[in-house]
CSV table of all heavy atoms in Angstrom, one decimal:
chain,number,residue,atom,x,y,z
W,644,TYR,N,48.9,-5.3,-61.3
W,644,TYR,CA,47.6,-5.7,-61.9
W,644,TYR,C,46.5,-4.7,-61.7
W,644,TYR,O,45.8,-4.3,-62.5
W,644,TYR,CB,47.2,-7.1,-61.5
W,644,TYR,CG,45.8,-7.5,-61.9
W,644,TYR,CD1,45.5,-7.9,-63.2
W,644,TYR,CD2,44.7,-7.4,-61.0
W,644,TYR,CE1,44.2,-8.2,-63.5
W,644,TYR,CE2,43.4,-7.7,-61.3
W,644,TYR,CZ,43.2,-8.1,-62.6
W,644,TYR,OH,41.9,-8.4,-63.0
W,655,SER,N,45.4,-9.0,-71.9
W,655,SER,CA,44.6,-10.2,-71.9
W,655,SER,C,45.3,-11.4,-72.7
W,655,SER,O,44.7,-12.4,-72.9
W,655,SER,CB,43.2,-9.9,-72.5
W,655,SER,OG,43.4,-9.4,-73.8
W,716,TYR,N,54.4,16.2,-66.6
W,716,TYR,CA,54.9,17.6,-66.4
W,716,TYR,C,56.2,17.8,-67.2
W,716,TYR,O,56.4,18.9,-67.8
W,716,TYR,CB,55.1,17.8,-64.9
W,716,TYR,CG,55.8,19.1,-64.6
W,716,TYR,CD1,55.1,20.3,-64.8
W,716,TYR,CD2,57.1,19.2,-64.1
W,716,TYR,CE1,55.7,21.5,-64.5
W,716,TYR,CE2,57.7,20.4,-63.8
W,716,TYR,CZ,56.9,21.5,-64.0
W,716,TYR,OH,57.5,22.8,-63.7
W,722,ARG,N,57.7,20.9,-74.2
W,722,ARG,CA,57.0,21.3,-75.3
W,722,ARG,C,56.6,22.8,-75.2
W,722,ARG,O,56.5,23.5,-76.2
W,722,ARG,CB,55.8,20.5,-75.5
W,722,ARG,CG,56.1,19.0,-76.0
W,722,ARG,CD,54.8,18.3,-76.2
W,722,ARG,NE,55.1,16.9,-76.6
W,722,ARG,CZ,54.2,16.0,-76.8
W,722,ARG,NH1,52.9,16.3,-76.8
W,722,ARG,NH2,54.5,14.7,-77.2
W,782,ASN,N,16.0,-2.8,-60.8
W,782,ASN,CA,17.4,-2.9,-61.4
W,782,ASN,C,18.4,-2.5,-60.3
W,782,ASN,O,19.3,-1.6,-60.5
W,782,ASN,CB,17.5,-2.0,-62.6
W,782,ASN,CG,16.5,-2.3,-63.6
W,782,ASN,OD1,16.6,-3.2,-64.5
W,782,ASN,ND2,15.3,-1.6,-63.6
W,832,PHE,N,37.6,19.7,-48.0
W,832,PHE,CA,37.2,20.8,-48.9
W,832,PHE,C,38.1,22.0,-48.7
W,832,PHE,O,37.6,23.1,-48.8
W,832,PHE,CB,35.7,21.1,-48.8
W,832,PHE,CG,34.9,19.9,-49.0
W,832,PHE,CD1,34.5,19.1,-48.0
W,832,PHE,CD2,34.4,19.6,-50.3
W,832,PHE,CE1,33.7,18.0,-48.2
W,832,PHE,CE2,33.6,18.5,-50.5
W,832,PHE,CZ,33.3,17.7,-49.5
W,1166,GLN,N,-35.2,13.8,-11.5
W,1166,GLN,CA,-33.7,14.1,-11.5
W,1166,GLN,C,-33.0,13.4,-12.7
W,1166,GLN,O,-32.2,14.0,-13.4
W,1166,GLN,CB,-33.1,13.7,-10.2
W,1166,GLN,CG,-31.6,14.0,-10.1
W,1166,GLN,CD,-31.3,15.5,-10.0
W,1166,GLN,OE1,-32.2,16.2,-9.6
W,1166,GLN,NE2,-30.1,15.9,-10.4
Side-chain angles (χ1 to χ4, degrees):
Y644 168 80
S655 60
Y716 175 66
R722 291 183 182 180
N782 304 276
F832 302 92
Q1166 181 69 25

